[in-house]
Amino acid sequence: MDWGTVPAWASAFLTSGSLLLGFYILLRDRRKEERQEALKVVCWSEYGSADSPDHGMHVVHVLNTSSRPIYNASVLVDLRLVAFDGFEGFGLAGIIPSAEEATTRIDRRMNHRKIFPVAIGFTDSDGFDWIRDLGTRRLYRDPRSGRRYLARIRARLRLAKLFGWRRVLARGGPAQSIRRRLLR
């Protein structure tokens, strides 16, 4: 059996490497284009001043400066409950057209507990879910949208087979970062 020569092996190896590099560059550029529209959505939160009618409220704004509309915008609020480590979503707007702003007011207290807005979640025109952290102003793609969510479920199933369901489903405490809590 003839295995070939060293130059033939080297050319096969380099051809495979160049194909992989080309696919990586295409994938990176595609993700960059997907992110460009979502980066044009501006979000901020402010407290109502003492002399305004919004006193005692969080006023949350979402301004869509992209060329296409965004959908299902909601404010994610931290309820600061010991038994609940997640976020509660308050609907902001079903559709925010291009060059439009949506505003909502949220009480600072709910059932004798302080609450505050942490992030804005929205869906862009391509159907990708995004989360904008109001504290750091960073934009995250929600892993529950698309293939990443399926891959994450498969990984959890694999881990559950190895370590058991209790350990896999255990949640981190309040010291867990906001990013990890948002993208859970």
Side-chain angles (χ1 to χ4, degrees):
M1 184 170 9
D2 184 22
W3 285 88
T5 61
V6 172
W9 277 93
S11 70
F13 179 73
L14 291 174
T15 301
S16 300
S18 65
L19 284 173
L20 288 174
L21 180 64
F23 285 128
Y24 169 75
I25 290 172
L26 286 173
L27 182 64
R28 185 192 63 192
D29 288 345
R30 181 173 169 230
R31 286 187 179 160
K32 196 178 206 181
E33 289 173 10
E34 290 170 355
R35 191 175 179 86
Q36 289 304 316
E37 286 292 317
L39 284 172
K40 294 179 182 175
V41 177
V42 182
C43 309
W44 71 96
S45 174
E46 58 191 15
Y47 299 112
S49 60
D51 57 341
S52 74
D54 299 328
H55 179 65
M57 307 281 269
H58 294 283
V59 182
V60 181
H61 304 271
V62 177
L63 176 63
N64 182 11
T65 62
S66 69
S67 60
R68 302 186 309 173
I70 61 171
Y71 304 96
N72 303 327
S74 62
V75 181
L76 301 176
V77 177
D78 190 356
L79 296 178
R80 299 283 177 136
L81 297 175
V82 177
F84 180 69
D85 191 32
F87 296 98
E88 182 68 32
F90 288 95
L92 180 66
I95 298 175
I96 303 176
S98 177
E100 295 282 331
E101 180 180 350
T103 305
T104 189
R105 289 160 184 75
I106 299 172
D107 287 327
R108 288 189 191 181
R109 293 191 173 274
M110 180 182 291
N111 297 333
H112 306 291
R113 292 196 173 272
K114 286 185 181 179
I115 63 171
F116 63 96
V118 176
I120 303 292
F122 63 92
T123 305
D124 66 3
S125 293
D126 293 326
F128 295 109
D129 295 325
W130 298 93
I131 296 175
R132 170 81 70 173
D133 188 349
L134 289 173
T136 62
R137 304 285 191 245
R138 290 191 178 177
L139 181 70
Y140 304 108
R141 184 168 169 192
D142 193 351
R144 292 179 293 250
S145 64
R147 281 180 259 142
R148 287 186 184 178
Y149 184 57
L150 294 176
R152 193 169 178 198
I153 289 175
R154 286 187 198 115
R156 279 194 172 180
L157 288 173
R158 253 191 329 268
L159 288 173
K161 287 179 184 176
L162 293 174
F163 301 110
W165 282 104
R166 259 191 203 165
R167 193 163 181 193
V168 172
L169 296 177
R171 292 185 170 186
Q176 197 174 25
S177 73
I178 288 179
R179 179 175 187 256
R180 290 186 55 88
R181 289 173 61 199
L182 283 172
L183 302 177
R184 189 177 303 171

